[in-house]
Amino acid sequence: MKELIRRAAEDLAAAGNVAALTGAGISIESGIPPFRGKGGLWERFDPMEFAHIDALMRDPAKVWKVLVREMKEIVDRAKPNDGHKGLAKLEARDRLKTIITQNIDGLHQAAGNTDVIEYHGTFAWQRCMDCHKKYESRKVDISEIPPRCDCGGILRPDAVFFGETIPAKAMWRSRQAAVDCDLMLVVGTSAVVQPAAMIPVIAKDNGAKIIEINPERTPLTDEISDYLIMGEAGEVINRIVAAMD
Ligand SMILES: [Zn+2]
């Protein structure tokens, strides 16, 4: 691992334009549960019943009581961990430009990254279903469910629900970031779910080097990644940043 850490530090130092693709694995150490997989939220909640746009439109109070309130409370409390902070340090040193994330916790921005593309929107903000005004989630009072906008409309997370499309701007910008980068860090995601799955492929096709940081091998490992640094995001990124000093 030590050799790979040094190699990643050298590759980052030499790269002209670096992008990162992040997923649930980077936020687990901040207490954000993953949606998919073992221990994921979808083991406890049927997403079609609680995370589909039709369910939200039909009965917003029910969706708030079961899923959204819990997620809001988790995200409101969550703090960036070493993985997020390490990526913020890379941006501060001009070694990372754009983060494309599948996460909805807003922790990359909280850590200090300024160019974050959120594929699935965010639970860190709520928006009015009527007038679309946005409210910072942690400032939204939920003593009454569902919470409401000044205009009387119901608030919903500014996130993408099942049955909704990924924002076109996020799609376009992430594709562009993948084309433009010459190094991509893939952190805490196996990138098997579309549209995130195409991002490392586009980067690779356009000549970028792909460094994967994951606790285990993924479908990317043999096909796409130049190399895998096996471990938890926080520890690995910390060690890479330290090796760059
Ligand atoms: Zn409103």
Side-chain angles (χ1 to χ4, degrees):
M1 171 135 141
K2 199 172 170 192
E3 190 47 49
L4 287 175
I5 295 282
R6 188 179 309 125
R7 186 172 164 194
E10 286 169 6
D11 284 340
L12 276 163
N17 180 322
V18 181
L21 173 68
T22 68
I26 198 171
S27 287
I28 286 173
E29 292 166 71
S30 291
I32 309 283
F35 288 102
R36 294 166 196 277
K38 214 166 124 239
L41 286 171
W42 302 150
E43 279 185 348
R44 288 166 52 212
F45 306 115
D46 175 1
M48 290 307 123
E49 197 179 341
F50 298 108
H52 196 283
I53 185 60
D54 294 344
L56 181 70
M57 300 304 282
R58 196 164 49 235
D59 192 347
K62 177 178 153 187
V63 169
W64 258 101
K65 275 177 196 152
V66 174
L67 178 67
V68 178
R69 173 162 54 193
E70 179 175 328
M71 279 305 293
K72 175 186 168 350
E73 284 169 351
I74 290 169
V75 169
D76 284 357
R77 276 198 307 270
K79 300 255 185 321
N81 64 53
D82 285 348
H84 303 103
K85 289 180 198 165
L87 293 183
K89 280 181 199 160
L90 291 180
E91 180 182 319
R93 296 172 186 197
D94 205 20
R95 292 292 86 211
L96 172 62
K97 191 161 179 280
T98 304
I99 295 178
I100 304 156
T101 189
Q102 302 165 79
N103 300 338
I104 47 75
D105 49 46
L107 291 176
H108 287 305
Q109 293 93 327
N113 284 97
T114 57
D115 187 13
V116 182
I117 301 168
E118 295 170 307
Y119 254 151
H120 300 133
T122 181
F123 267 67
W125 290 82
Q126 306 285 330
R127 77 166 189 264
C128 174
M129 290 168 75
D130 288 344
C131 76
H132 309 299
K133 183 175 172 184
K134 292 187 184 183
Y135 294 83
E136 199 177 339
S137 208
R138 67 182 76 210
K139 291 179 184 159
V140 170
D141 173 25
I142 50 167
S143 51
E144 278 185 43
I145 296 285
R148 289 181 184 271
C149 175
D150 297 337
C151 82
I154 290 171
L155 296 183
R156 58 162 287 180
D158 195 20
V160 178
F161 278 57
F162 285 92
E164 293 186 299
T165 54
I166 307 283
K169 192 178 166 196
M171 289 285 280
W172 182 83
R173 284 214 59 229
S174 57
R175 182 178 285 268
Q176 200 59 42
V179 169
D180 290 346
C181 71
D182 55 15
L183 174 63
M184 178 171 278
L185 302 171
V186 177
V187 186
T189 175
S190 52
V192 288
V193 182
Q194 290 293 357
M198 71 180 180
I199 293 302
V201 178
I202 294 171
K204 182 91 176 173
D205 277 352
N206 284 274
K209 194 173 277 186
I210 312 289
I211 305 176
E212 183 183 350
I213 300 169
N214 271 319
E216 51 199 30
R217 300 174 66 81
T218 73
L220 291 174
T221 307
D222 293 323
E223 298 273 325
I224 301 292
S225 305
D226 284 81
Y227 52 99
L228 163 70
I229 307 179
M230 215 184 281
E232 302 301 332
E235 190 205 342
V236 171
I237 294 172
N238 250 348
R239 289 182 61 182
I240 292 172
V241 171
M244 290 173 78
D245 289 333

